[in-house]
C-alpha cells in the first residue's frame, strides 16, 4: 500500500534505549521499590517471576531507561535516483545526546503543536512542534527546555 505522504517528507527514526543501571541490585533502594511496584503490574496474571528476574525489560520504560542512540534518515532525490541520508547520535550522556538531536531537528523547520517527548526526571524536557495536517513538508522543532 502506498503511503499517503510523499517519501521525501518522512523523517525515519530509530531510538535505542538501555536500562539506567545494568542490574537490579545496582538500583538505589528507592528505585528498587519503584521497580517492584512497576513489576507487580507487569507480572499480574503472568507466569511467576520476580521483579529482579524481569529487570531486563526496564529499558523500554521511560522512568527506568535512557536513550543511548537515535538514528534518523531522510530520502531525497527523484524516485529513480533516490538517496538515503542517515545521521546517528549516540553516547552515555542522555541530555547531551538529546540536545544534539534537537539541534539537528531545529534545522528542519518550525511547526505548531508542542508535544513533550521525555519524562522530566533528568532536568530536561523536549518539545516537538509539528505542522498542521496536510502540510507538504515535514517540519519539526525540538527545543530542550530547562525544568524549573
Amino acid at each position: 500500500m502506498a503511503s499517503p505522504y510523499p517519501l521525501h517528507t518522512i523523517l525515519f527514526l530509530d531510538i535505542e534505549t538501555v536500562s539506567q543501571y545494568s542490574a537490579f541490585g545496582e538500583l538505589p533502594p528507592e528505585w528498587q521499590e519503584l521497580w517492584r511496584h512497576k513489576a507487580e503490574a507487569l507480572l499480574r496474571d503472568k507466569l511467576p517471576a520476580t521483579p529482579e528476574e524481569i529487570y531486563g525489560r526496564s529499558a523500554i520504560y521511560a522512568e527506568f531507561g535512557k536513550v543511548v542512540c537515535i538514528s534518523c534518515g531522510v530520502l531525497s532525490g527523484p524516485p529513480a535516483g533516490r538517496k538515503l541520508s542517515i545521521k546517528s547520535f549516540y553516547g552515555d550522556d542522555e541530555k547531551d545526546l538529546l540536545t544534539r538531536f534537537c539541534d539537528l531537528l531545529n534545522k528542519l523547520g518550525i511547526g505548531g503543536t508542542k508535544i513533550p517527548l521525555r519524562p522530566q526526571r533528568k532536568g530536561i524536557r523536549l518539545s516537538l512542534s509539528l505542522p498542521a495536517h496536510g502540510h507538504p513538508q515535514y517540519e519539526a522543532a525540538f527545543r530542550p527546555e530547562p525544568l524549573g
Side-chain angles (χ1 to χ4, degrees):
M1 181 173 156
S3 170
Y5 304 101
L7 290 177
H8 71 278
T9 67
I10 299 172
L11 176 65
F12 298 91
L13 294 174
D14 179 37
I15 301 173
E16 301 297 328
T17 60
V18 297
S19 301
Q20 290 185 49
Y21 296 90
S22 60
F24 178 81
E26 295 177 12
L27 285 168
E30 62 272 13
W31 282 93
Q32 286 185 11
E33 188 56 37
L34 290 169
W35 177 251
R36 281 189 187 97
H37 180 71
K38 180 80 165 186
E40 285 176 17
L42 296 172
L43 293 171
R44 194 168 292 135
D45 302 323
K46 303 281 191 282
L47 294 174
T50 66
E52 293 84 353
E53 292 171 334
I54 68 164
Y55 182 71
R57 300 184 200 173
S58 66
I60 63 170
Y61 300 102
E63 62 268 47
F64 297 99
K66 70 177 181 176
V67 176
V68 293
C69 182
I70 302 173
S71 295
C72 50
V74 292
L75 293 169
S76 62
R82 195 165 278 148
K83 293 181 184 178
L84 173 63
S85 299
I86 298 174
K87 174 75 175 171
S88 293
F89 301 89
Y90 54 90
D92 194 47
D93 183 338
E94 184 182 51
K95 181 176 179 179
D96 176 65
L97 182 154
L98 293 172
T99 300
R100 289 184 288 127
F101 179 61
C102 289
D103 291 344
L104 173 76
L105 293 179
N106 277 326
K107 294 177 185 177
L108 297 178
I110 298 172
T113 307
K114 286 187 178 183
I115 301 171
L117 292 182
R118 292 288 298 159
Q120 301 176 11
R121 71 175 193 280
K122 294 198 174 190
I124 185 171
R125 176 186 325 135
L126 299 180
S127 297
L128 166 64
S129 296
L130 297 172
H133 180 70
H135 194 280
Q137 293 292 319
Y138 60 83
E139 293 183 4
F142 286 75
R143 164 173 66 263
E145 300 171 358
L147 299 174

